[in-house]
């Protein structure tokens, strides 16, 4: 099951999206909705993946599909807090080369400044 | 055994023989008596012949009428009528004969009179026996065990009297009277079995009354004739001295009288019974499942017709509107469709409106309404919602030209009809859905067969290496792909790929990948160029959230060099036979279709190494490493590595089987829920 939460901060201005649980083919739709909402709401997005246990290729596909959009709309987008196992999945696919990945929230906030 | 027809024929022949013998013996006895000659044959013989004649008749009718297939009661009565008619006509002829020759010598000759009397006896007995057999069938209609037992007792007792009759008795004899009284009582008891009458319709009842009346008239007439004979001349025998015949006549008459009265009293209620029967038939029609190829409309037509006739309504309509199933039907009975909105409005305005739903199922959208109307041609209406799976899909409205035209019974019947129709429609729809699902399954089976053809059906070993592969989809179709292409005598291209997601969409992308591989590999590109071109091609084909990871290898057997690049695919595992060590090729890479612009080439890294004999290359998809056990632990890279180390000295097929066995042992499952592929190359 996927768990999605959002938190909007005004100062410093950022949009925080927290993804937890398991993202598979069926729950990736919710991930996509969450990301679309975030992109519509803010130009500075940090995604907390601390609670994320598993992400399938369909879930990775959602992250991949927004890369071009992020660039076009000039949105600063950082994900952070991944467990090594989850990070490995991003790394093997090569997504770490296209998406900024940080270890914790402080680094993430620093990165979107 | 003799066949039924054989028995009938035999009984006819025997009947004629016994009757002739019986007549001859009696006439001879009479002749000797008249002429004062001592006659050698005792009266016992003639009685026995009569008994045999009766038994032949019983046999004949038992098989002729008793076993006939038809259970049409009027038909049975018709047979009685016909046999009675024949007997009557012959008797009338005899009477006519006496009228003509009354004064002549022939007419007063005792022998002639006795002969004609015997003819009459034969016919009357035949009539009585046939009537008896018909009555038996009528009485035993819908029989139960005790009725059958009583009847058998009666029948055996009656046949028993034939033996009693062998010894001539006078009807004033106390023994005669006792036997007769007992038989009459049992006969009376049995005569109250008249269930068949309930199943006659109005017309049939009138005909039955006619036939039963005729039977009474026949018997009265025969009785009169027999009496006339016994008064007229000296008779060698008097039929009325037989307990059997007397009991038979009494029983037939009793049954006739009771049946006549019961039919008469049943006449006024016939229409009610017919109505109930019709309702049952209609209910059955509604509950029959709709045959394939027919539409729901059939059910609605039956519902409307049955309802109209069940409550005698003057007009009605049935409106079905189900946008989900694209069904729009308006059926009417004696009603102009344009009047429907007018009447519906009148229902809303009605001040005498009753809502029939019970409180707990009251849903404002599907109310059952009984109302009196004003300002339209009809005075009362009964309106029922038609629901399927709890959704209202239409309305049935029945109209009458009188106030309060619908009583509780009618409402109950309509309720039952509507419910049954709903069930039929529901079943019909479920059946259709099942058929469609079945077709989808078939389609998927075809897709599965087609996709299996997209993977190489067998991998040929060559001078440089031996190879074995296994690919298993979680669903009917999957997104894993591998292929081999012989570039020239020395060099082979090898690819393994995995489409993101699984199922049908993954299968389509996998097919595209196959097309891309087969086209580009012809151009003999180096791995980097191959991946760049493949990324370009796939960027134009894939869905926005789909990507494909691949590893592409070119193996040169001459130089023993392997050049390869990884596009986001799981790192390939390599076993070095010399050192006995295994390692993953973790070079940089990016999945195909992720970066859909010209920057992709920046993310491709080509590696090169030299292989040696007995080295093993393992290509796989993430279905292997991400397979989980019950504790949600993944099989992972380390376990795969140790599994390879364990089996590396075997043949490729054995290595593959060994790894799969280890995998399943770890997962403890029958099947994995992701596509997985495992390809083993062992170098020579």
């Amino acid at each position: 099951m996927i768990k999605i939460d959002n938190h909007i901060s005004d100062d410093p201005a950022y949009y925080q999206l927290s993804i937890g649980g398991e993202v598979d083919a069926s729950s990736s739709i919710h991930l996509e909705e969450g990301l679309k909402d975030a992109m519509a709401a803010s130009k500075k997005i940090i995604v907390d993946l601390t609670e994320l246990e598993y992400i399938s290729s369909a879930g990775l596909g959602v992250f991949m599909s927004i890369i071009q959009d992020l660039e076009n709309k000039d949105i600063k987008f950082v994900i952070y807090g991944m467990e090594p196992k989850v990070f490995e999945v991003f790394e093997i696919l090569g997504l770490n080369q296209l998406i900024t990945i940080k270890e914790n929230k402080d680094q993430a906030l620093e990165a979107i400044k | 055994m003799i066949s039924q027809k054989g028995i009938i024929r035999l009984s006819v022949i025997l009947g004629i023989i016994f009757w002739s013998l019986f007549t001859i013996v009696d006439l001879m006895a009479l002749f000797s008596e008249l002429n004062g000659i001592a006659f050698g044959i005792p009266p016992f013989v003639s009685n026995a012949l009569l008994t045999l004649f009766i038994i032949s008749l019983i046999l004949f009718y038992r098989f002729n009428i008793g076993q006939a297939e038809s259970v049409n009661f009027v038909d049975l009565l018709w047979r009685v009528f016909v046999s009675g008619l024949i007997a009557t006509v012959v008797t009338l002829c005899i009477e006519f004969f006496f009228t003509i020759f009354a004064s002549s010598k022939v007419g007063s000759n005792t022998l002639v009179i006795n002969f004609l009397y015997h003819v009459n006896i034969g016919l009357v007995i035949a009539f009585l026996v046939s009537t008896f057999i018909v009555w038996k069938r009528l009485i035993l209609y819908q029989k139960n065990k005790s009725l059958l037992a009583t009847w058998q007792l009666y029948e055996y007792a009656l046949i028993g009297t034939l033996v009693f009759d062998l010894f001539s008795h006078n009807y004033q004899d106390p023994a005669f009277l006792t036997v007769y009284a007992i038989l009459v009582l049992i006969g009376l008891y049995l005569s109250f079995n008249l269930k068949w009458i309930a199943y006659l319709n109005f017309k049939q009842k009138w005909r039955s009354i006619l036939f039963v009346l005729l039977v009474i008239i026949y018997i009265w007439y025969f009785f009169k004739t027999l009496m006339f004979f016994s008064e007229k001349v000296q008779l060698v025998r008097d039929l009325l001295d037989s307990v059997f015949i007397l009991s038979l006549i009494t029983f037939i008459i009793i049954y006739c009288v009771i049946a006549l009265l019961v039919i008469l009293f049943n006449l006024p209620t016939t229409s009610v019974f017919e109505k109930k029967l019709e309702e049952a038939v209609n209910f059955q029609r509604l509950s029959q499942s709709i045959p394939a190829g027919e539409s729901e409309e059939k059910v609605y037509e039956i519902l409307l017709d049955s309802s109209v006739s069940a409550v005698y309504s003057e007009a009605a309509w049935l409106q079905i509107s189900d946008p989900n199933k694209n069904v729009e039907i308006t059926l009417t009975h004696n009603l102009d469709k344009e009047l429907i909105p007018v009447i519906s409005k009148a229902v809303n305005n009605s001040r005498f409106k009753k809502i029939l739903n019970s409180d707990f199922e009251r849903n404002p959208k599907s109310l059952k309404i009984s109302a009196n109307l004003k300002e339209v041609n009809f005075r009362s209406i009964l309106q029922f919602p038609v629901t399927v799976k709890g959704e209202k899909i239409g309305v049935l409205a029945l109209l009458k030209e009188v106030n309060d035209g619908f009583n509780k019974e009618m409402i109950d019947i309509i309720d039952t009809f509507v419910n049954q129709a709903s069930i039929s429609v529901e079943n019909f729809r479920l059946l259709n859905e099942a058929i469609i699902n079945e077709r989808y399954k078939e389609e998927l089976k075809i897709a599965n067969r087609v996709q299996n053809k997209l993977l190489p059906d067998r991998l040929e070993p060559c001078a440089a290496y031996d190879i074995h592969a296994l690919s298993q989809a979680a669903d009917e179709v999957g997104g894993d792909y591998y292929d081999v292409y012989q570039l020239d005598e020395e060099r082979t291209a090898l690819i393994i790929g995995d489409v993101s997601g699984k199922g049908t969409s993954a299968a389509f992308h996998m097919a595209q990948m196959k097309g891309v591989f087969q086209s580009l590999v012809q151009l003999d590109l180096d791995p980097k160029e191959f991946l760049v071109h493949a990324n370009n091609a796939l960027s134009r084909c894939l869905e926005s959230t789909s990507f494909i990871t691949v590893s592409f290898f070119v193996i040169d057997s001459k130089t023993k060099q392997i050049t390869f690049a990884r596009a986001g695919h799981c790192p390939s595992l390599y076993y070095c036979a010399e050192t006995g060590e295994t390692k993953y090729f973790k070079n940089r890479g990016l999945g195909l279709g992720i970066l859909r612009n010209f920057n992709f080439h920046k993310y491709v890294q080509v590696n090169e190494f030299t292989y040696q004999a007995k080295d093993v290359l393992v290509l796989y998809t993430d279905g292997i490493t991400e397979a989980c056990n019950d504790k949600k632990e993944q099989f992972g890279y380390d376990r795969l590595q140790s599994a390879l180390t364990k089996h590396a000295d075997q043949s490729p097929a054995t290595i593959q089987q060994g790894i799969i066995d280890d995998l399943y042992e770890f997962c403890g499952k029958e099947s994995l829920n992701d596509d997985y592929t495992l390809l083993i190359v062992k170098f020579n």
Side-chain angles (χ1 to χ4, degrees):
Chain A
M1 267 317 292
I2 188 173
K3 282 174 281 184
I4 297 188
D5 261 326
N6 59 7
H7 168 75
I8 301 163
S9 161
D10 288 331
D11 188 32
Y14 65 89
Y15 187 108
Q16 183 187 343
L17 192 66
S18 306
I19 315 288
E22 295 183 356
V23 180
D24 55 23
S26 52
S27 59
S28 65
I29 303 159
H30 304 296
L31 173 64
E32 191 170 2
E33 281 167 7
L35 286 172
K36 288 263 156 68
D37 288 348
M39 284 160 70
S42 174
K43 294 265 180 199
K44 290 182 177 182
I45 303 167
I46 57 170
V47 182
D48 177 8
L49 298 183
T50 323
E51 300 286 309
L52 186 65
E53 292 160 19
Y54 168 78
I55 184 160
S56 76
S57 55
L60 294 171
V62 173
F63 278 109
M64 162 219 125
S65 68
I66 62 165
I67 291 172
Q68 197 61 50
D69 250 16
L70 293 172
E71 205 172 296
N72 295 349
K73 292 180 182 164
D74 204 17
I75 297 173
K76 286 186 175 152
F77 185 88
V78 176
I79 56 182
Y80 70 92
M82 278 185 274
E83 274 186 54
K85 197 176 71 185
V86 178
F87 177 74
E88 197 176 33
V89 175
F90 276 80
E91 193 187 23
I92 286 173
L93 183 59
L95 275 185
N96 59 331
Q97 304 166 81
L98 303 175
I99 299 174
T100 318
I101 298 176
K102 296 289 174 191
E103 272 173 30
N104 55 43
K105 189 173 175 179
D106 290 340
Q107 289 179 10
L109 287 176
E110 187 66 31
I112 58 167
K113 262 185 185 167
Chain B
M1 278 305 290
I2 316 169
S3 71
Q4 195 170 319
K5 272 189 180 167
I7 293 177
I8 291 174
R9 278 188 206 135
L10 190 69
S11 58
V12 171
I13 295 163
L14 285 178
I16 292 169
I17 293 171
F18 288 134
W19 179 80
S20 312
L21 285 173
F22 157 67
T23 310
I24 292 164
V25 169
D26 266 6
L27 290 181
M28 275 164 66
L30 182 68
F31 183 78
S32 30
E33 199 180 311
L34 285 176
N35 296 298
I37 307 162
F39 184 56
I41 304 170
F44 171 81
V45 174
S46 130
N47 283 347
L49 284 169
L50 177 62
T51 304
L52 286 170
F53 168 62
I54 293 172
I55 289 172
S56 310
L57 277 176
I58 292 177
L59 259 182
F60 171 73
Y61 282 113
R62 223 187 155 134
F63 282 92
N64 194 18
I65 299 176
Q67 312 259 316
E69 289 294 312
S70 151
V71 273
N72 186 333
F73 308 116
V74 180
D75 271 4
L76 290 175
L77 290 172
W78 171 257
R79 285 171 190 246
V80 171
F81 164 74
V82 170
S83 61
L85 191 69
I86 296 166
T88 311
V89 168
V90 175
T91 314
L92 279 171
C93 291
I94 294 171
E95 217 169 293
F96 185 63
F97 171 85
F98 280 124
T99 325
I100 293 170
F101 297 99
S103 49
S104 77
K105 213 177 173 185
V106 185
S108 54
N109 185 322
T110 318
L111 278 175
V112 174
I113 294 172
N114 266 289
F115 171 72
L116 292 173
Y117 179 66
H118 275 81
V119 173
N120 222 338
I121 285 177
L123 288 166
V124 169
I125 292 176
F127 167 69
L128 291 176
V129 170
S130 73
T131 313
F132 176 75
I133 299 289
V134 169
W135 270 204
K136 175 185 171 180
R137 278 200 76 164
L138 294 179
I139 286 171
L140 292 184
Y141 181 67
Q142 291 191 351
K143 59 185 174 246
N144 56 34
K145 213 173 156 188
S146 69
L147 173 62
L148 195 64
T150 318
W151 176 265
Q152 276 168 348
L153 175 76
Y154 180 68
E155 203 173 322
Y156 290 137
L158 204 59
I159 291 168
T161 59
L162 286 172
V163 183
F164 182 80
D165 283 340
L166 285 180
F167 316 98
S168 305
H169 293 278
N170 187 282
Y171 69 90
Q172 281 148 344
D173 197 347
F176 183 103
L177 285 174
T178 315
V179 174
Y180 175 65
I182 292 170
L183 283 172
V184 168
L185 282 176
I186 306 177
L188 186 69
Y189 170 74
L190 285 167
S191 298
F192 285 97
N193 288 294
L194 298 146
K195 290 199 184 92
W196 56 280
I197 290 172
Y199 292 88
L200 301 177
N201 62 30
F202 199 67
K203 207 169 136 195
Q204 288 170 325
K205 283 203 172 104
W206 276 114
R207 282 165 72 185
S208 305
I209 288 176
L210 181 74
F211 289 142
V212 172
L213 265 178
L214 278 170
V215 171
I216 297 178
I217 291 168
Y218 289 151
I219 290 181
W220 168 77
Y221 174 68
F222 296 142
F223 202 75
K224 212 191 79 176
T225 317
L226 294 180
M227 292 300 277
F228 158 79
F229 273 108
S230 58
E231 279 162 18
K232 191 167 181 176
V233 282
Q234 179 197 5
L235 286 178
V236 70
R237 77 169 37 251
D238 194 340
L239 197 60
L240 299 179
D241 279 345
S242 155
V243 187
F244 176 79
I245 298 295
L246 258 183
S247 308
L248 208 57
I249 291 177
T250 317
F251 170 67
I252 289 170
I253 291 287
I254 291 173
Y255 197 71
C256 275
V257 171
I258 293 174
L260 201 62
L261 291 174
V262 171
I263 298 173
L264 269 176
F265 288 127
N266 259 304
L267 270 177
T269 55
T270 307
S271 58
V272 176
F273 192 83
E274 276 175 33
K275 195 88 217 160
K276 286 285 158 202
L277 210 62
E278 192 191 317
E279 277 164 21
V281 170
N282 278 334
F283 187 74
Q284 199 232 346
R285 281 171 66 206
L286 270 177
S287 58
Q288 272 169 351
S289 55
I290 314 164
E294 280 199 49
S295 68
E296 286 174 30
E297 200 168 338
K298 190 91 194 160
V299 176
Y300 300 129
E301 279 168 13
I302 297 174
L303 174 63
L304 187 67
D305 288 351
S306 319
S307 304
V308 165
S309 69
V311 300
Y312 309 97
S313 80
E314 272 100 20
W317 84 78
L318 176 63
Q319 223 170 5
I320 301 290
S321 164
D322 191 358
N324 292 337
K325 296 280 166 186
N326 220 351
V327 181
E328 286 287 341
I329 301 169
T330 305
L331 299 171
T332 57
H333 172 81
N334 274 348
L335 189 76
D336 192 347
K337 279 185 189 176
E338 284 159 19
L339 279 174
I340 295 175
V342 181
I343 297 172
S344 298
K345 203 178 152 198
V347 174
N348 285 335
N349 295 337
S350 168
R351 283 192 291 145
F352 300 95
K353 191 154 75 172
K354 264 190 297 180
I355 293 172
L356 307 166
N357 303 50
S358 58
D359 285 336
F360 65 89
E361 55 160 29
R362 190 162 293 189
N363 173 353
K365 276 186 183 168
S366 55
L367 290 177
K368 303 170 184 172
I369 296 168
S370 166
N372 285 343
L373 304 175
K374 276 183 178 175
E375 292 156 7
V376 283
N377 289 336
F378 302 97
R379 296 261 73 93
S380 57
I381 186 168
L382 183 64
Q383 198 172 308
F384 263 78
V386 181
T387 52
V388 169
K389 280 188 194 162
E391 289 279 314
K392 182 185 171 189
I393 61 158
V395 172
L396 170 71
L398 300 158
L399 296 156
K400 277 198 178 186
E401 286 168 357
V402 290
N403 274 333
D404 301 314
F406 301 95
N407 61 30
K408 176 85 173 59
E409 282 71 35
M410 294 172 172
I411 290 168
D412 286 346
I413 288 163
I414 298 303
D415 204 11
T416 324
F417 279 1
V418 170
N419 284 340
Q420 191 53 52
S422 304
I423 292 169
S424 286
V425 170
E426 218 170 292
N427 285 345
F428 176 71
R429 290 182 176 181
L430 282 176
L431 193 70
N432 277 357
E433 278 169 28
I435 290 168
I436 291 169
N437 281 340
E438 201 52 43
R439 205 160 58 215
Y440 287 154
K441 272 190 203 162
E442 276 307 308
E443 292 292 332
L444 277 176
K445 272 188 201 163
I446 294 169
N448 171 265
R449 275 207 301 277
V450 171
Q451 197 184 28
N452 281 338
K453 295 242 165 73
L454 295 181
L455 296 174
D457 46 346
R458 52 195 294 249
L459 297 171
E460 296 291 339
C462 66
Y465 58 80
D466 201 358
I467 185 168
H468 194 85
L470 170 76
S471 185
Q472 194 72 48
D475 304 317
E476 272 76 5
V477 290
D480 283 6
Y481 173 63
Y482 65 88
D483 217 337
V484 180
Y485 185 83
Q486 195 77 40
L487 291 167
D488 53 41
E489 277 179 11
E490 282 94 32
R491 292 179 314 131
T492 313
L494 191 65
I495 192 169
I496 184 160
D498 182 1
V499 179
S500 65
K502 54 180 184 174
T504 322
S505 70
F508 277 110
H509 294 327
M510 176 267 194
Q512 287 172 330
M513 186 63 231
K514 164 127 185 162
V516 168
F517 170 77
Q518 289 291 345
S519 314
L520 292 181
V521 83
Q522 317 277 336
L523 305 176
D524 197 358
L525 304 168
D526 70 60
K528 182 169 183 167
E529 270 186 86
F530 175 90
L531 290 183
V532 170
H533 279 95
N535 184 62
N536 269 344
L538 289 171
S539 294
R540 289 172 177 77
C541 316
L542 299 181
E543 277 178 289
S544 67
T545 54
S546 291
F547 58 86
I548 301 178
T549 64
V550 296
S551 287
F552 181 78
F553 296 80
V554 176
I555 303 167
D556 189 330
S557 61
K558 196 174 162 195
T559 59
K560 300 211 168 186
Q561 286 275 320
I562 296 178
T563 332
F564 72 99
R566 189 181 71 88
H569 197 75
C570 319
S572 308
L573 183 58
Y574 193 79
Y575 169 80
C576 176
E578 196 178 44
T579 60
E581 277 172 9
T582 52
K583 64 169 180 194
Y584 286 102
F585 292 136
K586 289 193 172 173
N587 46 346
R588 234 155 47 90
L590 183 64
L592 302 177
I594 291 179
L595 200 60
R596 301 184 180 185
N597 57 33
F598 298 108
N599 290 326
F600 179 79
H601 66 96
K602 293 178 191 163
Y603 301 92
V604 184
Q605 184 192 348
V606 178
N607 278 14
E608 211 174 32
F609 65 92
T610 314
Y611 70 81
Q612 281 169 343
K614 292 190 180 162
D615 284 1
V616 179
L617 175 65
V618 177
L619 310 181
Y620 59 93
T621 58
D622 59 6
I624 302 270
T625 45
E626 289 183 4
C628 285
N629 65 6
D630 288 340
K631 293 176 203 154
K632 293 208 165 181
E633 290 168 334
Q634 293 186 347
F635 187 63
Y637 297 102
D638 294 343
R639 287 190 186 85
L640 178 60
Q641 211 166 350
S642 46
L644 173 62
T645 318
K646 205 162 85 183
H647 304 286
D649 53 346
Q650 313 278 327
S651 72
T654 320
I655 296 172
Q656 179 236 284
Q657 194 54 51
I659 293 176
I660 293 297
D661 287 347
D662 287 2
L663 174 68
Y664 274 99
E665 195 188 326
F666 170 77
C667 296
K669 287 181 202 160
E670 303 263 305
S671 66
L672 304 181
N673 55 4
D674 196 5
D675 310 332
Y676 67 86
T677 298
L678 188 59
L679 195 145
I680 314 283
V681 182
K682 188 160 190 173
F683 297 99
N684 297 328

